[in-house]
Amino acid sequence: MIRYTLGRLLSLIISLVIASLVIFSVIEVIPGDPASFMLGINAREDTLAALRSEMGLDQPLVVRYFDWVIGLLQGDFGNSWTYKTPVSELISDRIWVSLPLAIYALILSTLIAFPAGILAASRRGGASDVTIMGATQMGVAIPNFWFAMIMVLIFAIHLRWFSAGGFPGWSNPLQGIKSLTLPAISLALPQAAILARIMRSSLLDMLSEDFIRTARAKGLTRGQALWRHAVRNALIPVLTIIGLQFSFLLAGGIIIEQIFFLPGLGRLIFQAISARDLIVVESVVMLLVFTVIIVNFAVDIAYAAVDPRLRIKA
Amino acid sequence: MKPGLIIGSFLSIIFIGLAFFSFIWIPYDIEALEISNKLKKPNFNHWLGTDHFGRDIFSMIMMGARTSIAVALLAVGIGVVIGVPLGLFSAARRGSFIDEVIMRGNDLIFAFPSLVIAILITAVFGPSAVNAIVAIGIFNIPVFARLTRAAALPLWERDFILSARVCGKSEARISIEHILPNITNLMIVQGTIQFSLGILAEASLSYIGLGAQPPTASWGRMLADAQTLVSIAPHVALVPGLAILLMVLGLNLMGDGLRDLFDPRIKGDRT
Amino acid sequence: MSLLNVKNLSLSIGSFQILHDVSIDVLPGEIVAITGESGSGKSLTALAVMGLLPYGSVMKGSIWLEEKNILTTSEHDLCSMRGRAMGMVFQEPMTALNPVKTIGNQVAETIIIHERVTKFEANKRAADMLQRVGLTVDPSRYPHELSGGQRQRVVIAMAIALRPKLLIADEPTTALDVTTQARILELLKDLVADFDMGLLIITHDLAVVAEIADKIVVMQNGCIVEAAKTQELLHNIRHPYTKALFNASTHRVILPKYIPSSPLLSVESVARTYNLPRKSVFGSRPKFQALDGVSFHISQGERVGLVGESGCGKSTLTRAILGLEEVQRGQIMLDGQSVFSQKKPNLEVRRKMQVVFQDPYGSFNPRHRVDRLIAEPLHVLENTPIGKDRDLAISKALEDVGLSAVDSKKYIHEFSGGQRQRIAIARALIIEPELIIFDEAVSALDVSVRAQVLDLIADLCRKRPLAYLFISHDLSVVRTVTDRVMVMQLGQIIEQGQTEQVFSNPQHTYTQSLIAAAPTLPEVTYAIETV
C-alpha cells in the first residue's frame, strides 16, 4: 500500500512538472514576445517596457520558469495586468463559486447515476432498464449549455422558481446553494447519464463473472449477489470515470458560469482572454490542471481501498 | 437488426445528407440579412422560422451541419491517425520504457480539462475552426491510443500471434496483418462515439465564440445568438439545440447498434 | 430413499433441446459421477439441480431433492435451499471467488445468509470450516494470494459450510495439477463419508470417475447412454459409446521405431529469472528462478516428452526454444545455430522449427481464410512459393493432415476443435520443419478427438522422420507418443530417460509422486455386442 501510494505520488509530481512546462511554453514561449501580444500592435514603448519587466521578460527562459514555479508554490501567481491586483486575490474570490459548483454537480451526478445504473442492471431488459437507458441516451446527447438555457426558460422565466442568474455570495448559504442549483443540474445531468450507463455496463460485466455464480450457489438472491459482490467490483471502472468527470465539471463550469452570470473562474478566464491578460489565463489554467491531477491522484488511492490486489502490486 | 441501429443510422444519414446537400442548394442565402423579416415563427416559406437578422434557420442548420461534421470528422481523423499507431506500437513493446512513456503521456493529456486546453489554444492563436479541430483532435489521440493498446494487449498473448512470431514475422507486420483487422470493429464503434462527442465539443466551443468564426454558420453560435432571445422567440434557441441533440443521439445509437452487431457474443448473466 | 432423484428431465433453451429424459439417483453418502464429452449436457444437468439455469430454459420432468421438487419450487425457496440443502463447487477456482473480499468473509457469508448468527460466530465457524478442508492460511487473506488448489479448498468450504445433504462438483479438479487433483479428490471423498453427503460429480476424466465414483452415468448429446454401479459398469460395458470413450482414453498409438541419429536441438545450462514485485518499500525485488540450468538434447527424428506441473518452467522453456523470449544464461542451438543471434530471433532457425499450441480456438486469426493461415510460415523460406506453388503446398499440407484442398477457402470458425488442431499441424508442416513443438497440443480436446489427433501424429512420423518435443501435463498421453521423457520441477529437469523406463521405474521421488497421483483407468471388460 505504501509502495503503491509512493508510486502514484511520484507520477503525480511528474505530471505536475510536465503540465507546468506545457502551460509555460504555450503562454510565454510560443507567442514570441508575450508583452507585445498582450498589449497589441498599438502599444506604447514605455508601457511595453513596464510590462516586460513586470513579467520578467528580460530574464532567461529557465530563470523565468523557475521564478514562476517557485511563486506558484508560495501562492504567488503574479499580478494581473488588467486588474492591477495579485492574481491570487482574483482567484481566491472566484474559486468559492467554481469549486462548490463542480462539487455540487458531482454529488448530484453520483446521486442520480448510482441508483439509476444499479436499478437498470438489476432489472436488465425490463421496463425500468429500457426507460433508464432511453433517458441516458438523451442525457448523453444533450449539450449542457443548451440544457441550461431550457432550464432558465422553464424554471426561471416561466415558473420563476429560481433567478435566471447571478450569485448573491455565501453570506446566506441557502441562497448561495439555491443560486447554484440550476447551474449544477445543467452540469450534472449529462454527466449523470454517462455515469449511469457505465455503472450499468460495469455491473452487467460483473454479473457474468464466475464468482457471482458461486455466490448464487451459496443461496444469495440475485439482488443480494448484486449488492454484496458486484457493486464493489463494478466501482473500480466507475471511480475512473468519476475522476475524469470532475475535471469535466470544473471545466464545463466555465461555460455554464457564462450562462448564469456566475462570478467564477470561467468568467475570469474569459475576461482575461478578451483582455489578453496572459498572466491570469496562465494561472487559472495551471490551477485547474493542478486540481484535476490531484483529484486523479485521489482516485488512484481510492482504487487501492476498493481493490486489495493493488495493495501489494506496484 | 435492432431498432436503435436503424433509428441511429437514419438520423445520422439525414444530417450528413443535409450537410452534403448544402453544397448544391440551400433555401436562402444565409449571408443576406433581412431585418424586416426577423424572428418569424416556423411557416411555409421558412420551415424553421428566421433568426434575429431575418436569416432562414433551416438554411443555417444545413450550413451548420457542414461545419459540425467537418470539424468533428477531422478531429476524429487526428485521433485515429496518431492514436491508433501509437497504441499499436505501445502494445507491441508492452512493458518497455517507451510504452510507459506513451501511456503516461496519454494520462497527462487526460489530466488537462479539454475545454481549458481549447481555451488556451485560442487564447494564444485566436479563435478559428482549425484551432477548434486541433483542440478537439488532441483529446482524441489518447482515447484511440488507449483503446488500441487495451484491445491489442490480450491479442498479443493469443496463440495465433505467438505462432506468427514463431514464423519470424516482425512486430510491425504482425500489428498490421493480425492485430489491426481484429480491432477494426472496435475502432469503428469508438470512432462513431468520438464523432458524436466532437459534434458536442464543436458546439460548445463555437457557443463561447472559440470555434468557427462568422460568416461560417455553426450550431453553437446560433445558440449563443439565441440566448438573449429565448423568452421572446424560443424556437430560435430550440431548433439548433434539437439539431445537436438529434445528430449526437443518432451517432450514439448507431455506435451502440454497431457494437452489438459486431459483438454477437451474448453478455448474459447466468441466472 | 434417495436423496436426489432426477426423473425424466428434459431441457430446452430456445429451440435447442439440450437434455432428453435424463434420470439420475443419488443416495446419501454416495458419489455419483456424470461423464461424457463436451456438449453432452452434463454441466447443465448440474445447474438444473441447483436451479441456476440460464434464462429462457424450459424444463420437463422433475428433480426431487428429498421432498422438494426443484422445478416447482419458487426462486425465493430455492435461495434458502442453495448453500444449506445443496452446495456447488465449480471448475475454475481462479475466478470462482470474489477478488475484493477475504476468503474468511466469503465462507462466513454462506452461514450469515442462512442462519441468524453474529458476525463473530459466523467468522469463527468459517475459520473452522477452512481448517476442516485442510487450508492452513489465515482467513483474512484475499483470493489472489492463494494457489489454485487452495482456492478450490475455499470454494469447497463455502459449499459445505452448512453441511448440505447434496454437494455438486462440476469438473472440480480439471483446472488443477495432478498432485493437487489427487488431494482434492481425497478431500471430497473424506467429506462425503464424514458428513454422509451425496456427491454428484461431473467430470470428463474417466480415470477420475473410476477412482472416486460409486455410480457412473455416461451422457452423450443430452441423453444418458449408460448408468450403473462403477464396478458393474467397468466389468460389463454395454453401450458402444461408453466403449468408444474408454477405448479412446486408453488409446495407444504405434510409433515407428526411433533409430538413434545426429543431434538436432541442444539446450545447454539455460537459466531465466524473473523479477517479482517488491514486497516492502525499500527491499530488493524478490526473484523467481523459472529455469535453472536446464540442459538436454533432441536428435533428428526423436520424439521427446516434457512433463511437469504448472509453474515448473515448461512454458518458459517452450518460449525460449521458440525464440520468443531470451534466456539470461546458457545457449539453445538448433542444427548448430543459435536460436537467438545478436539479441534477435534467428530466421535461419525459424525455418526448421514450428509449433502447435493448445487452444484450437485461439490459435488462428479469425479474420483470415484457412489458406492464408496455413501459408503464414512460408514467408520465412528463402524462396517463398507464390501462385501455383503456394496453392500446391497448401493443399499438400491439408491432405497430409486428413483434410482436403477445398477446405482452404473456408474460415476457421467453420471447423470443429479437432479439425482446427489438424489445421494447426498443417500450418506447422508446410515448411517441412525438422522440429515441431507440441505445446499441450491435445489437452483441450475430447478423448475421442484426442485419439484421432495422436494417430495423425504417429502417421506423420511414419511418412518422414519427424522430431518433436511434446509438452503436456497428461502423463498417459506423453507415455504413448514419445521415445524419451523429461520431468521438470522448479525450473530443473530432475529426471530424464527412455519413456517406458521412466514410467515403469521412476527414480526421483517427485516423478514417483507424479505417477502415483495420476489417476489411472482400471482394466475394463466389454459386454458382448448385440447388433
Side-chain angles (χ1 to χ4, degrees), chain B residues 9-23:
Chain B
S9 318
F10 179 72
L11 284 173
S12 312
I13 288 167
I14 283 188
F15 280 103
I16 295 170
L18 278 181
F20 273 102
F21 196 62
S22 72
F23 284 102

Side-chain angles (χ1 to χ4, degrees), chain B residues 156-195:
Chain B
W156 273 100
E157 297 308 315
R158 292 275 291 273
D159 287 345
F160 71 88
I161 300 291
L162 290 181
S163 78
R165 288 173 66 198
V166 170
C167 294
K169 290 203 167 157
S170 66
E171 284 165 350
R173 197 161 162 193
I174 290 175
S175 292
I176 292 164
E177 270 183 29
H178 288 297
I179 307 274
L180 205 51
N182 280 295
I183 60 172
T184 312
N185 288 344
L186 200 62
M187 293 303 140
I188 292 173
V189 171
Q190 193 62 37
T192 319
I193 307 284
Q194 293 307 117
F195 187 30

Side-chain angles (χ1 to χ4, degrees), chain B:
Chain B
M1 279 270 250
K2 291 274 180 65
L5 183 57
I6 297 170
I7 297 169
S9 318
F10 179 72
L11 284 173
S12 312
I13 288 167
I14 283 188
F15 280 103
I16 295 170
L18 278 181
F20 273 102
F21 196 62
S22 72
F23 284 102
I24 307 166
W25 176 80
I26 48 170
Y28 294 89
D29 179 7
I30 61 160
E31 283 176 46
L33 313 183
E34 201 182 338
I35 307 289
S36 59
N37 206 12
K38 71 176 180 181
L39 297 179
K40 283 276 182 302
K41 289 246 154 47
N43 57 48
F44 186 74
N45 286 329
H46 298 279
W47 298 342
L48 298 176
T50 60
D51 74 353
H52 57 299
F53 288 131
R55 293 176 294 187
D56 179 50
I57 293 182
F58 184 67
S59 308
M60 289 183 71
I61 291 287
M62 282 176 77
M63 297 299 280
R66 219 201 256 184
T67 315
S68 281
I69 290 168
V71 169
L73 211 55
L74 286 169
V76 171
I78 292 178
V80 170
V81 167
I82 302 177
V84 172
L86 270 180
L88 285 176
F89 183 78
S90 222
R93 296 283 163 82
R94 62 214 164 280
S96 70
F97 178 69
I98 188 110
D99 169 34
E100 187 71 12
V101 169
I102 291 175
M103 283 303 115
R104 289 280 152 221
N106 281 332
D107 290 350
L108 197 69
I109 296 183
F110 268 127
F112 284 83
S114 48
L115 197 64
V116 173
I117 290 302
I119 288 169
L120 197 64
I121 288 175
T122 42
V124 175
F125 299 100
S128 74
V130 176
N131 288 343
I133 292 169
V134 172
I136 301 167
I138 286 176
F139 290 94
N140 281 331
I141 297 173
V143 171
F144 283 98
R146 272 188 179 188
L147 185 71
T148 304
R149 181 175 181 274
L153 275 187
L155 287 176
W156 273 100
E157 297 308 315
R158 292 275 291 273
D159 287 345
F160 71 88
I161 300 291
L162 290 181
S163 78
R165 288 173 66 198
V166 170
C167 294
K169 290 203 167 157
S170 66
E171 284 165 350
R173 197 161 162 193
I174 290 175
S175 292
I176 292 164
E177 270 183 29
H178 288 297
I179 307 274
L180 205 51
N182 280 295
I183 60 172
T184 312
N185 288 344
L186 200 62
M187 293 303 140
I188 292 173
V189 171
Q190 193 62 37
T192 319
I193 307 284
Q194 293 307 117
F195 187 30
S196 80
L197 289 177
I199 302 261
L200 271 179
E202 192 275 336
S204 309
L205 285 182
S206 53
Y207 173 77
I208 51 176
L210 301 180
Q213 294 302 299
T216 314
S218 86
W219 294 345
R221 216 186 36 261
M222 287 170 75
L223 278 174
D225 291 344
Q227 194 178 344
T228 48
L229 307 165
V230 78
S231 50
I232 318 165
H235 73 277
V236 186
L238 285 177
V239 171
L242 274 177
I244 299 170
L245 174 70
L246 290 177
M247 169 107 211
V248 173
L249 185 67
L251 285 169
N252 283 340
L253 286 175
M254 192 165 88
D256 285 356
L258 286 176
R259 190 194 325 252
D260 294 344
L261 195 70
F262 289 147
D263 187 11
R265 167 175 65 112
I266 303 151
K267 268 192 165 178
D269 37 351
R270 287 192 179 86
T271 54

